[in-house]
Structure formats: C-alpha cells, structure tokens
C-alpha cells in the first residue's frame, strides 16, 4: 500500500515517521513533484510511506503546501495518515476537513495521547470518529505507544472507508454538489470547492461567479472567507461535543518565555547562546581534540611511511599512502569531534522550540533588511550544512525573500568551513581562537544583512511580505531524534572523507609529487600542481600578499567540499616538509608567508566565496533557474574577493603602523 | 455605546486585551488566505499575549495556540475589543 503521512508543523509527524519505519528510509523523487521527499517502508517493504512537509492547509501559497497538494492529487495514494496534536484540535482539524474532501481513505492519529491528563484535556474518541466518519487511533509518537495498533489497522485495512462529509451550510453544499456533477475527474468535491474559492492553480473551465455572487451577498463575505469560516464552524461544533478542557496544562512555556522573550534579556541571551555554540564546538572541543587528533594522524602517517618502507615499498607508494591518503583524509577527520558538538547543539536548538522564538524576536530587525524572521531558521541550520539550510527556505512565503535567503544561506560558516576556520584561527590566533571564530560568525551576519539590502534594493524589488507563523510550546528535544540526526550528518561527513576527499587527496598528491615529465619526488615547487596553480596565484595575490600557488589551488578546491581546502593544504604541506617530524600543517615552510592578516583574509575568502558543488546544486534546484544560480555564485565570489582583499590590505596597513 | 465606535483593527488592541474578529480587510489574497487558514475567521476571539522584544511582531493567542503576526498585517484585521 502507498501511504501519505500528513500533519501540521510541530505535530510530531517526523517522530511518527521514524517510529513507523525505523531505519528503513530513503529519499524519493517523484516526476510530478520536483522536490525530494522522504520515503520509508513499514513491515519489510509491505507498505510504502511518504513523509510530506508539515503544512496547515492545502491552499497553494507556500511551496510546501503546493508540493503536498500536487502529490496527493497526482500520485496514486491508497491511504492518508493524518497526525493531529489534540491540544490544538481546531487548527489541526482544519487541515483534516480539507483532506476529507479528497477521494482517499484516511486514518487519524491523535498524537501525545499519553499527556492528555497532564495537559488537562479529555477527548471522546469514539464520538469524534463518528462525527468525522474516520478511524482514529490514539498514539504517542515519542513513547512509541499505539504504533503497533496503527500498523495493524493499516495491515488489516480495517478502517472506516472514505465517504464525503457535508460540513457546510445547506445552500453552500447545494452549490458544491451542482459543480460536482459537472466534473468528470476524481476528487470532485475538492475541485468544486477550489473552483468556488477561485483557487489560482485550478484551471477555470467553468465560470463560477454566477454561483458565488448570490452566496457572497447572503453571507456578506467573499467565498474564501465563507469556506474557511464554514470549516471552523463545523470544527467548533464537533469540538464542543467531543473535547473537554479540564485545566490549562503546565505553564512551563509561559515561564520560560518571560525570560527568553524578555524585552531586555532576549537579545543578550540569544547572543550568548550563539556564542556558546561556537565557543563550545570550535573553542573548547576544538582545542582539546584537534591537537590530539592531529598529532595522532601525523604519527600514524609517519608510522605507515616507515612500515611501508620496511616492507620494501617504493618511496612513492609509501608517500602516496602517508602524504596523500592519510594526510588528506586525516586532516578532515580531525574535525569530527567538533562537528558532533556543533550538530548536537543545533539540533537541540531546533527541537526545543527556541529557534522559532529567535525568528520571532529578530523579525523586526530582519524586516528592515528586506528579510523575514523566518529566514533565520535556514541560516542557523546552514551553520551545520548549507544544503538542508537552503531547503529550509521553503517555509518562506514570499518568492523574492525566499530567493534572497537561498542565495545568502551559504554565507553562514557551515560545518565544512569549520576546519578552515579552526585550523587558521588556532594556528595564527592561538590565544583568541574562540573569539576569532565568533568574529567570523558575526561578520557573516553583517554580510548577510547588507547583501540582503543590496539584493532587495537592486535586484528583487518585490512587495514587502508578511510574517505569520506559529509559536510552538517549548519541549525537551527528542534525544533519539537528535542523536539520529547528528549521526546521519556526521556519517555523511565521514563518508565524504572516505570517498570524494580521498580521491581528491590522491589526485592532489599525484599532481604535487610529480613534475610534468612524470618524475617522482621533485620539489613541490617544481610539481605539476605548482605550475597549474601559478596562474591562480596572481588572482589571490591581493589578499595573500604572496604568490602562493599552494594556497590558491587549495582555495579553489573548496568547490569540491569546503573541508577539501584543509585536506589539500595538508597534502601539499606534507610533501613540502619532512613529515616524520610530526609537523602541523601550517608549520610547513611553504605556508610561512601567512601573516595573521592574510590568514584572516584567507578564511574570509573561503567563508564567503561560492559554496561547494552540493550547495550550488541545492541553490540551483531551489531557485529553479540557471541564471539566478550564476548570479548567486558571482555575487558570493565577488563579495568574498572584495572583502578578503580589503581585510588583508587594511590588516597589513594597521599592522604596519602599530 | 454603539458597535461602530468600538470597531477597530487588531494592531490597536493592547497587551492582554481580547478582541473578536469582524472581517479581514487585506487586499492581498495570499495574506488573507493565510490568516483565514490559521483560524482568523469572522467571530473568533483572539487575545494579545506577547509583544516581541523589539516591538514587533505580536504573539496572539487563538484557537488554543499562539500565532505571531506583524503589526502591518494586524492592521488588516477588523475587530471589536471585548
């Protein structure tokens, strides 16, 4: 069976999806719906379940709603599982009443059933079932209760079958029915109502004004209002009959908001939280682990070199393993402990409900720069990885604001840029590495805001948008989900180190160990790579103050993956120096030209220039236009170049007079 | 007092006051639609719950949940103060 999982945002949908499918998930792509969705399988591939985006309505105004709607209408779905948060019954059922208009069977999952008593509510499930003519199962996605019952119900198909539910006033129902008789396609009722609402996506084959005008006159509202009011009136009626609120649950959210949304404390607390995230992952964990891991990698590299030599290996094969593979991959793996901490903290921030509050209180500031507070969520997620960050822009309603957010998300230092920052900040600013990292983070915010202003003023002169969003309750993040999320992201990073980084490192080793006449063991400055890089060295001269082909070719490799920059520096550095002495990358003589000013400029260039291919791909997909993607890449790289040059020149000037 | 004098827009309603929605004035279809979808239909009672630390947006309590809306959009919601 093919099942679609649908629910509001924050309804526990993803938790239920994970509980149902375990690790049996993949990313799916459907022809009609151009955007990827998660697919999972229940009971050894017996049922396919698709996790649709969290939405409030089937209206076509956000991309996520359009996706879900197109999916339900175009793909053959056998069953909808609609997850509902009973503490917000009215708004949850609003989506349900729309799903009931489709010609698809449905099961409703009443989530968080285990906390009803604590939250002071009681629901007459059987009566609600009867009123909606839909089977209802009480579950707790978090505690995994009721899941077996749900699976059994799906398996046995022992649920109430779809029957149209007439929820509107008789005169409206009569008009709907009149239209239904004229429609030959499936989902008649849904289409009829959309026609009456003058939905912009449905093709208007029939002129409905003769039908809607008289009713609009009777009710004194336009038809969209009549339909929405009709739905809520129906919901209020059945809620009155089936739902009792005994008391108003716990006041935790209210108390926490008194602090976190306090007029004076909100912004300082936010600053502190963001600082702590960076300080903990880059500063504390970074300084604790990087030296240790780096030392071990160097030792291992030296050990392997000697071992291979002892076994009678030729110089170049020993060097390939220790200077190419181990140095390149090891340089990247150094940063895994930091990534774990960073991903853990971001995931917790997202799961606790604090992230939406940041968007809420910074909206005013963002509005001044032509962005919505909602853009903050992609930015914060983007500090883990730009790809999910770029995808998170889908909740932004205004097209122009969404495009701007897509183009600016890569400016946030993502976790793969962290190795670059940590390496340079740690080496050149050993006593202030935490502050230097944080200063880059703050700089990225300033750059984002200024760029947004530039884009809004010169390139996207759209209308000012709105900010209409739910403020969910605080909750303790679901640790199982957090760990899983972190595990997946770290695994992806390690996988990349073992594949693309390994391959690139070997290639870089080859190009820097051999001359054009394929002589092995030449001085790195005589290698192929050095000659290839010399042209680029001129390009980077204004920000480095040195014609360094090594730094230039490394920066360009950021396109493959940002951590590859460090990897490449390590391979070239390793070949240029005697690795047996356990040199740290930047100690290599080939990098001696770096000053704090050029180190900072180099970090800035890598931070703001075009992101890796994966992120460029995500930008292209979400922007849906090659031209706009090129615009984004040129804008980012141009700005990076300008900023880095400015910083180096200024830094050198100030350094010179002080 | 007749009803006309009590008619106002939601941005004018003070913190911790409640109001009943009369109609949406918005001319922009998407915003109106979004507000309707989120439950701001004629007759519903809303409560001004929080104001963001920078003065905007406003958190209103509606249909058992919290909804944040900018002042600019609250201007489009005609209400009677309760």
């Amino acid at each position: 069976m093919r099942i679609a999982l649908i629910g509001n945002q924050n309804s526990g949908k993803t938790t239920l999806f994970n509980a149902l499918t375990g690790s049996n998930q993949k990313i799916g792509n459907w022809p009609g719906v151009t955007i990827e969705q998660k697919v999972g399988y229940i009971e050894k591939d017996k049922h396919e379940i698709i996790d649709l985006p969290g939405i409030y309505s089937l209206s076509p105004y956000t991309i996520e709603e359009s996706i879900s709607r197109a999916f339900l209408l175009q793909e053959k779905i056998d069953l909808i599982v609609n997850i509902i948060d009973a503490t917000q019954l009215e708004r949850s059922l609003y989506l349900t009443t729309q799903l009931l208009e489709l010609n698809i069977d449905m099961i409703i999952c009443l989530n968080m059933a285990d906390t009803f008593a604590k939250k002071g509510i009681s629901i007459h499930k059987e009566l609600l079932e009867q009123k909606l003519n839909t089977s209802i199962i009480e579950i707790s996605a978090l505690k995994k209760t009721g899941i077996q019952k749900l699976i059994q119900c799906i398996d046995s198909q022992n649920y109430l079958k779809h029957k149209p539910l007439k929820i509107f006033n008789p005169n409206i129902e009569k008009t709907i029915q009149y239209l239904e008789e004229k429609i030959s396609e499936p989902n008649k009722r849904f289409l009829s109502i959309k026609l009456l609402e003058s939905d912009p996506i449905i093709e208007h084959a029939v002129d409905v004004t003769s039908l809607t005008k008289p009713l609009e006159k009777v009710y004194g509202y336009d038809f969209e209002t009549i339909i929405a009011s009709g739905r809520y009136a129906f919901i209020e009626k059945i809620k009155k009959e089936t739902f009792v609120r005994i008391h108003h649950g716990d006041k935790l959210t209210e108390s926490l908001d008194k602090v976190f949304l306090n007029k004076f404390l909100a912004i300082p607390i936010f600053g502190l939280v963001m600082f702590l995230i960076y300080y903990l992952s880059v500063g504390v964990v970074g300084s604790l682990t990087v030296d240790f891991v780096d030392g071990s990698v160097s030792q291992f590299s030296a050990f392997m070199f000697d071992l291979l030599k002892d076994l009678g290996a030729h110089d170049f094969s020993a060097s390939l393993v220790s200077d190419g593979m181990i140095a390149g991959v090891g340089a990247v793996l150094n940063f895994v402990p930091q990534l774990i901490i960073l991903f853990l903290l971001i995931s917790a921030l997202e799961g606790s409900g604090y992230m939406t509050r940041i968007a809420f209180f910074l909206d005013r500031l963002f509005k001044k720069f032509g962005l919505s507070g909602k853009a903050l969520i992609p930015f914060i997620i983007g500090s883990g990885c730009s790809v999910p960050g770029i995808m998170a822009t889908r909740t932004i309603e205004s097209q122009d604001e969404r495009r701007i957010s897509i183009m600016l998300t890569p400016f946030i230092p993502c976790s793969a840029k962290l190795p670059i920052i940590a390496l340079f900040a740690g080496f050149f600013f050993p006593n202030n590495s935490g502050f230097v990292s944080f200063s880059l983070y703050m700089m990225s915010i300033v750059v984002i805001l200024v760029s947004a202003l530039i884009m809004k003023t010169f390139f996207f002169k759209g209308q000012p948008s709105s900010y209409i969003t739910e403020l969910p309750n605080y909750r303790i993040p679901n640790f199982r989900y957090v760990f899983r999320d972190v595990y997946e992201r770290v695994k992806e990073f390690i996988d990349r180190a073992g594949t693309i980084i390994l391959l690139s490192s070997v290639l870089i080793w080859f190009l820097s160990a051999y001359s054009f006449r394929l002589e092995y063991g030449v001085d790195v400055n005589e290698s192929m790579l050095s000659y290839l890089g010399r042209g680029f060295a001129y390009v980077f001269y204004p920000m480095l103050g040195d014609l360094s082909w090594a730094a230039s070719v490394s920066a360009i490799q950021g396109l493959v993956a940002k951590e590859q920059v460090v990897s490449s520096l390590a391979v070239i550095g390793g070949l240029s120096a005697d690795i047996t002495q356990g040199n740290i990358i930047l100690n290599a003589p080939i990098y001696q030209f770096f000053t704090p000013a050029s180190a900072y400029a180099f970090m800035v260039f890598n931070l703001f220039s075009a992101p890796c291919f994966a992120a460029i791909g995500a930008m292209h997909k979400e922007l849906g236009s090659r031209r706009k993607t090129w615009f984004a890449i040129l804008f980012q790289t141009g700005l990076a170049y300008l900023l880095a040059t400015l910083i180096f020149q200024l830094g050198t000037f100030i350094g010179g007079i002080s | 007092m007749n009803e006309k004098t009590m008619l106002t827009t939601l941005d004018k309603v003070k913190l911790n006051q409640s109001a009943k929605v009369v109609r949406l004035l918005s001319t922009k279809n998407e915003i109106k639609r979004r507000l309707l979808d989120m439950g701001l239909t004629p007759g519903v009672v809303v409560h001004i719950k929080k104001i963001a630390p920078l003065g905007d947006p406003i958190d209103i309590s509606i249909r058992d949940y919290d909804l944040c809306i900018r002042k600019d959009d609250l201007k489009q919601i005609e209400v009677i103060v309760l």
Side-chain angles (χ1 to χ4, degrees):
Chain A
M1 228 183 342
R2 207 145 180 235
I3 305 163
L5 180 61
I6 297 194
N8 286 172
Q9 282 170 30
N10 307 306
S11 60
K13 196 171 53 64
T14 307
T15 318
L16 175 61
F17 182 72
N18 287 337
L20 278 171
T21 59
S23 56
N24 205 354
Q25 302 178 358
K26 67 172 179 67
I27 300 291
N29 234 328
W30 286 272
V33 187
T34 47
I35 287 171
E36 294 168 342
Q37 293 302 327
K38 253 190 181 168
V39 203
Y41 298 91
I42 310 175
E43 301 218 303
K44 294 196 188 99
D45 303 354
K46 207 163 151 199
H47 308 294
E48 183 190 27
I49 185 160
I50 297 107
D51 188 19
L52 290 175
I55 54 169
Y56 298 108
S57 165
L58 293 181
S59 64
Y61 292 115
T62 72
I63 290 166
E64 307 208 303
E65 286 172 352
S66 315
I67 297 171
S68 303
R69 178 163 134 170
F71 191 86
L72 290 172
L73 291 176
Q74 290 163 16
E75 298 293 315
K76 296 231 172 323
I77 300 294
D78 304 300
L79 178 70
I80 293 173
V81 172
N82 177 207
I83 180 166
I84 278 180
D85 176 356
T87 56
Q88 295 167 353
L89 198 64
E90 289 180 43
R91 202 201 52 219
S92 308
L93 287 180
Y94 182 78
L95 177 64
T96 309
T97 60
Q98 298 181 53
L99 296 173
L100 282 170
E101 280 151 17
L102 299 165
N103 242 336
I104 307 172
D105 290 334
M106 183 153 85
I107 298 176
I108 293 174
C109 287
L110 215 48
N111 195 18
M112 300 179 227
D114 56 323
T115 60
F116 287 177
K118 203 178 118 204
K119 292 202 166 125
I121 58 175
S122 147
I123 292 173
H124 193 328
K125 192 196 92 176
E126 286 74 23
L127 192 59
L128 189 61
E129 214 162 37
Q130 199 187 320
K131 295 279 172 196
L132 294 170
N133 186 46
T134 307
S135 300
I136 299 177
I137 297 175
E138 291 183 342
I139 63 159
S140 163
L142 197 62
K143 301 241 164 76
K144 292 193 173 180
T145 54
I147 306 291
Q148 272 314 312
K149 213 172 150 197
L150 173 63
I151 292 176
Q152 266 167 26
C153 186
I154 293 170
D155 254 347
S156 62
Q157 304 197 18
N158 193 13
Y159 42 78
L160 295 169
K161 297 292 175 303
H162 174 78
K163 219 165 65 187
L165 200 63
K166 302 203 162 167
I167 62 170
F168 299 109
N169 286 343
N171 50 0
I172 296 167
E173 285 293 348
K174 221 168 89 188
T175 312
I176 296 171
Q177 200 183 339
Y178 172 79
L179 267 181
E180 276 184 66
E181 281 159 15
K182 298 194 162 192
I183 293 173
S184 52
E185 289 163 70
N187 300 313
K188 288 185 178 123
R189 187 175 164 85
F190 178 82
L191 291 176
S192 304
I193 294 171
K194 289 294 155 212
L195 271 174
L196 290 168
E197 285 183 315
S198 316
D199 185 288
I201 289 184
I202 305 274
E203 262 187 61
H204 288 262
V206 209
D207 184 25
V208 292
T209 43
S210 61
L211 298 171
T212 52
K213 273 269 143 40
L215 284 166
E216 287 180 340
K217 221 169 171 181
V218 170
Y219 286 91
Y221 297 110
D222 60 286
F223 220 87
E224 273 194 308
T225 309
I226 296 173
I227 292 291
S229 305
R231 293 190 200 282
Y232 273 113
F234 166 76
I235 293 164
E236 282 168 26
K237 193 171 133 268
I238 60 169
K239 187 189 167 201
K240 224 173 245 162
E241 293 165 337
T242 59
F243 179 94
V244 187
R245 188 175 277 282
I246 302 153
H247 62 86
H248 268 276
D250 58 317
K251 298 273 180 211
L252 181 69
T253 294
E254 308 305 314
S255 323
L256 285 175
D257 272 345
K258 284 216 170 75
V259 181
F260 288 119
L261 290 182
N262 181 288
K263 210 171 178 173
F264 306 103
L265 295 178
I267 305 239
I269 290 176
F270 166 66
L272 194 70
V273 167
M274 293 321 286
F275 175 75
L276 275 180
I277 289 180
Y278 269 77
Y279 185 71
L280 275 179
S281 49
V282 184
V284 178
V285 179
S287 59
L288 278 178
T289 59
V290 169
D291 287 350
F292 171 73
V293 184
D294 203 31
S296 318
V297 169
S298 307
Q299 272 175 8
F300 180 61
S301 173
F303 167 78
M304 282 304 285
F305 188 85
D306 292 341
L307 182 73
L308 288 167
K309 289 289 283 179
D310 286 349
L311 291 173
H314 190 276
D315 249 9
F316 75 75
S317 44
S319 169
L320 170 65
V321 172
S322 64
D323 297 329
M325 295 174 175
I326 300 176
V329 174
V332 167
L333 290 183
N334 273 345
F335 299 95
V336 168
Q338 300 182 56
L339 289 194
I340 294 174
I341 299 298
L342 180 70
F343 283 133
L344 260 177
L345 294 173
I346 292 173
S347 195
L349 206 62
E350 215 183 336
S352 64
Y354 183 60
M355 191 105 95
T356 355
R357 281 167 174 80
I358 303 173
F360 171 62
F361 68 70
L362 287 183
D363 177 65
R364 174 96 195 257
L365 183 72
F366 272 55
K367 198 175 112 188
K368 285 208 164 70
F369 295 93
L371 288 172
S372 137
K374 281 187 189 173
L376 210 87
I377 294 168
F379 295 156
I380 295 177
I381 293 175
S383 67
C385 174
S386 296
V387 176
I390 288 165
M391 277 159 65
T393 58
R394 286 180 200 162
T395 53
I396 299 170
E397 287 101 347
S398 150
Q399 269 303 325
D400 280 346
E401 279 187 16
R402 191 170 110 83
R403 288 193 186 117
I404 296 175
S405 307
I406 291 168
M407 293 180 183
L408 299 184
T409 300
F411 279 164
I412 289 283
C414 72
S415 60
K417 291 173 187 163
L418 214 63
I420 307 172
I421 297 175
L423 181 73
F424 281 87
F427 191 83
F428 289 101
F429 308 93
N431 301 318
N432 305 307
S433 65
F435 280 95
V436 168
S437 317
F438 190 66
S439 76
L440 284 164
Y441 184 75
M442 293 317 283
M443 186 170 165
S444 71
I445 294 174
V446 174
V447 168
I448 282 173
L449 292 179
V450 174
S451 307
L453 208 59
I454 295 172
M455 286 187 174
K456 192 84 174 183
T457 320
F458 296 106
F459 303 109
F460 300 97
K461 298 171 185 165
Q463 291 182 343
S465 72
S466 60
Y467 177 79
I468 302 168
T469 190
E470 182 194 353
L471 198 65
N473 283 344
Y474 288 100
R475 56 179 81 169
I476 297 168
N478 176 357
F479 287 106
R480 208 182 308 134
Y481 179 68
V482 168
F483 285 128
R484 188 196 178 111
D485 194 42
V486 172
Y487 169 79
E488 271 170 19
R489 285 173 200 285
V490 172
K491 185 174 170 290
E492 199 183 331
F493 186 85
I494 294 175
D495 281 351
R496 211 162 52 212
T499 51
I500 203 166
I501 303 287
L502 178 64
L503 218 74
S504 310
S505 299
V506 170
L507 186 70
I508 291 302
W509 171 85
F510 174 74
L511 289 174
S512 46
Y514 284 84
S515 72
F516 273 114
R517 271 174 291 166
L518 292 181
E519 295 161 313
Y520 170 73
V522 292
D523 184 80
V524 275
N525 287 313
E526 297 301 317
S527 67
M528 282 190 265
L529 194 65
S530 107
Y531 284 103
L532 290 173
R534 272 169 211 196
F536 295 110
Y538 287 98
V539 179
F540 284 89
Y541 184 77
M543 71 179 79
L544 294 176
D546 188 90
L547 283 173
S548 167
W549 61 268
S552 307
V553 289
S554 298
I556 292 164
Q557 288 170 67
L559 282 170
V560 175
K562 286 288 163 180
E563 64 267 36
Q564 173 62 25
V565 175
V566 169
S567 217
S568 162
L569 288 172
V571 173
I572 300 171
L575 277 177
S576 75
D578 187 1
I579 52 127
T580 48
Q581 281 163 20
N583 275 318
I584 304 176
I585 301 168
L586 289 173
N587 265 333
I590 201 163
Y591 304 125
Q592 284 310 307
F593 71 90
F594 269 116
T595 61
S598 59
Y600 201 96
F602 190 71
M603 285 193 278
V604 166
F605 180 79
N606 281 294
L607 210 154
F608 294 119
S609 60
C612 65
F613 286 133
I616 293 175
M619 282 201 303
H620 180 230
K621 203 159 86 188
E622 299 294 323
L623 288 168
S625 141
R626 193 178 293 250
R627 211 176 58 85
K628 290 198 182 73
T629 312
W630 274 110
F631 171 79
I633 293 171
L634 290 176
F635 185 88
Q636 289 158 348
T637 311
L639 193 74
Y641 192 81
L642 210 71
L643 273 175
T645 305
L646 214 67
I647 284 168
F648 172 69
Q649 299 296 346
L650 261 165
T652 312
F653 180 69
I654 294 168
I657 50 171
S658 65
Chain B
M1 226 193 313
N2 72 20
E3 265 202 7
K4 273 272 156 59
T5 57
M6 287 154 58
L7 219 54
T8 180
T9 49
L10 200 49
D11 61 303
K12 306 247 167 51
V13 181
K14 291 192 186 72
L15 189 65
N16 291 324
Q17 269 188 334
S18 293
K20 188 170 170 178
V21 174
V22 177
R23 64 168 64 235
L24 302 181
L25 305 167
S26 175
T27 46
K28 269 172 73 190
N29 226 0
E30 330 175 8
I31 294 180
K32 194 177 95 193
R33 178 68 206 225
R34 181 109 305 242
L35 292 172
L36 285 172
D37 283 343
M38 298 312 275
L40 280 154
T41 52
V44 74
V45 173
V46 300
H47 179 81
I48 306 288
K49 203 170 160 188
K50 283 170 214 152
I51 298 172
L54 298 174
D56 196 22
I58 311 291
D59 170 23
I60 66 170
S61 166
I62 174 175
R63 299 189 188 272
D64 296 333
Y65 78 99
D66 285 25
L67 183 66
C68 309
I69 308 180
R70 281 182 185 165
K71 272 187 181 162
D72 284 347
D73 297 321
L74 289 178
K75 280 187 191 136
Q76 307 295 324
I77 304 168
E78 198 173 63
V79 295
I80 300 171
V81 179
L82 295 176

